[in-house]
Amino acid sequence: MDSKLRNPETPESISEEEKQQLAIVSSSPFATASLSLSLSLSTILPTHFLTQPKISALFSSPPTKAKIPTQATSLTHLSLFSSTSSPKLSFKSTISANPLQTPLTLGPRRPSDPSNAAGTRRACIVWFRNDLRVHDNECLNSANNDSMSVLPVYCFDPRDYGKSSSGFDKTGPYRANFLIESVSDLRKNLQARGSDLVVRVGRPETVLVELAKAIGADAVYAHREVSHDEVKAEDKIEEVMKDEGVEVKYFWGSTLYHLDDLPFKLEDMPSNYGGFKEKVQVLEIRKTVETLDELKGLPSRGDVEPGDIPNLLDLGLNPTQDGKATASASMVGGEAEALQRLQKFAAECQAQPHKGINGSHDSIYGANFSCKISPWLTVGCISPRSLFDELKKTAARTISGASNHGAGGGVSPDTGMNWLMFELLWRDFFRFITKKYSAPRKQLEATPATACTTGAFA
């Protein structure tokens, strides 16, 4: 066969004009690589594999606008090299045939690890219990920071109402009315921050599962409680949520000192107040959690209705007691009322002269002999840390150590706290000791809690 037919692109068959074009193209690294490839493979491959198209076909415009030869992209899976000192070029097979059509994404990607701080939950539920407040609420703040949408929920559990085995009301009408007012005030505070409160009458382990399915919740956030029935409810919630693949995250916020800060394991807690006080009074009280001015909105999925807040009749209670209405103007439930009473109490403490009862404790006199904030502390309209923090700032004299007691005050220097701090410590003791023996196995091993002195709840 004629050699010109076997290799039509021999140097002899190239015109002067095409030679000039070849000189221009050869300055390109792609052209160099292509030519070196032909030279390297010519010894092992038949010549028809290395046949090049006419160089004039590579140009659609004057020679100054050269196109990259298509062989460079079609052979990207090969490593191109030259037998001489020409530079090496390497292409990976993952490169697109036309990278300009698939530019790199410069925006950040969402991390695949859900534990990463940049990750965000789709939706979560905040289960309000005895924490009916938006201030100093670690549970609410954490849910708001972790999720794209938050569904606050409160359940009126039918098991908390009706008659006990002894024939007494489990929850009396006065307490129930106070609780209803507190839930109503919580709803107002949440609405003012762009959220709302879903209210249901039913068992939490049933209500929360239904809501979690409706909105596609990833987690349930709640504060832990201390009594036997409350701990059983927590166990049931964890059990049913585990079956649904929903995480349950618990927090602690009902005491002055945090559970995790105690210098002993809860099962090793002293069963007498004196031993408890001696160990915890040297601890530092945690700072209050910042109150959020704006909350994440409700989940759009599920179209959950907020629901009506029940009245006493809905809970099976008589709205009148001995012919008198259960509502009391002097005992209005809610966070707003609690904070107002706290500020008033702090101002009165600061205004009162330094006196003592039987030369033993600081106090204030008259109608406000006590702080009378216990009902709001009980349902969580205010936290013990908020109470301590506010009085520490506005009435430093009242929340002072034993060193501030005058000579002859009758208080030993190692007491280290005034009467209000003294009462808050008593409250912590009883809550922790209840938590210690709340598990069924602990009830069988329980040692009676004892006191080395007398005291009352704040």
Side-chain angles (χ1 to χ4, degrees), residues 15-329:
S15 65
E16 286 297 327
E17 181 181 354
E18 290 175 334
K19 287 182 180 180
Q20 294 177 2
Q21 294 174 351
L22 176 62
I24 296 173
V25 175
S26 62
S27 62
S28 171
F30 287 96
T32 304
S34 178
L35 293 175
S36 63
L37 176 65
S38 300
L39 294 175
S40 302
L41 298 180
S42 61
T43 60
I44 59 174
L45 295 178
T47 56
H48 66 272
F49 281 97
L50 304 176
T51 300
Q52 301 286 336
K54 287 182 177 297
I55 297 178
S56 59
L58 297 176
F59 300 93
S60 59
S61 58
T64 56
K65 297 182 180 179
K67 289 187 178 180
I68 297 174
T70 57
Q71 286 84 349
T73 54
S74 62
L75 297 175
T76 54
H77 63 285
L78 296 177
S79 177
L80 306 181
F81 61 93
S82 173
S83 57
T84 62
S85 60
S86 58
K88 296 182 179 180
L89 297 176
S90 178
F91 297 88
K92 295 183 179 179
S93 60
T94 55
I95 299 179
S96 171
N98 189 357
L100 297 179
Q101 294 181 359
T102 56
L104 296 177
T105 302
L106 301 180
R109 292 184 177 181
R110 180 175 175 177
S112 58
D113 183 6
S115 63
N116 192 300
T120 305
R121 300 183 187 275
R122 295 192 308 273
C124 72
I125 293 175
V126 175
W127 176 27
F128 280 94
R129 307 175 75 189
N130 291 325
D131 54 345
L132 306 180
R133 62 181 184 271
V134 296
H135 77 277
D136 194 28
N137 194 321
E138 183 182 5
C139 172
L140 178 62
N141 283 32
S142 297
N144 188 81
N145 294 334
D146 295 346
S147 306
M148 298 175 62
S149 59
V150 179
L151 186 72
V153 180
Y154 183 84
C155 298
F156 286 88
D157 193 338
R159 292 170 294 191
D160 296 335
Y161 303 89
K163 299 293 183 180
S164 66
S165 58
S166 303
F168 296 99
D169 288 334
K170 292 182 179 179
T171 302
Y174 290 101
R175 177 183 175 86
N177 188 75
F178 186 87
L179 180 60
I180 291 173
E181 292 174 343
S182 299
V183 171
S184 178
D185 186 70
L186 175 62
R187 171 175 278 183
K188 293 178 182 178
N189 290 332
L190 291 172
Q191 290 174 343
R193 289 165 172 79
S195 184
D196 206 337
L197 180 65
V198 174
V199 178
R200 296 290 187 269
V201 178
R203 298 189 176 191
E205 61 266 27
T206 301
V207 172
L208 295 180
V209 169
E210 293 176 353
L211 292 174
K213 291 180 179 179
I215 67 172
D218 297 318
V220 174
Y221 291 66
H223 274 114
R224 286 197 180 275
E225 290 298 333
V226 301
S227 72
H228 175 66
D229 291 341
E230 291 167 331
V231 172
K232 284 179 60 178
E234 294 170 4
D235 293 339
K236 290 180 180 179
I237 291 294
E238 287 186 285
E239 182 180 353
V240 296
M241 289 299 176
K242 183 178 181 181
D243 296 337
E244 299 296 332
V246 179
E247 182 184 3
V248 181
K249 298 188 67 174
Y250 284 114
F251 299 82
W252 188 264
S254 63
T255 54
L256 186 64
Y257 293 105
H258 197 282
L259 178 65
D260 295 339
D261 296 338
L262 296 179
F264 44 75
K265 294 182 179 179
L266 197 60
E267 55 266 26
D268 300 328
M269 173 184 171
S271 296
N272 62 83
Y273 173 76
F276 170 77
K277 183 189 73 171
E278 182 180 359
K279 291 181 178 293
V280 303
Q281 65 182 355
V282 296
L283 299 177
E284 182 179 356
I285 299 173
R286 293 190 181 188
K287 296 181 179 180
T288 56
V289 178
E290 182 181 3
T291 305
L292 298 176
D293 296 328
E294 186 176 357
L295 297 172
K296 299 288 179 62
L298 302 180
S300 57
R301 176 180 172 182
D303 195 21
V304 177
E305 293 292 333
D308 296 328
I309 298 176
N311 54 36
L312 292 179
L313 290 175
D314 296 329
L315 300 176
L317 297 172
N318 190 351
T320 60
Q321 190 79 2
D322 297 330
K324 298 180 180 179
T326 56
S328 174

Side-chain angles (χ1 to χ4, degrees), residues 388-421:
F388 175 81
D389 190 57
E390 179 67 21
L391 293 178
K392 183 179 178 181
K393 291 187 296 183
T394 61
R397 176 191 56 79
T398 306
I399 308 298
S400 61
S403 59
N404 288 340
H405 292 274
V411 179
S412 58
D414 60 353
T415 300
M417 60 194 69
N418 74 334
W419 70 273
L420 183 58
M421 185 69 177

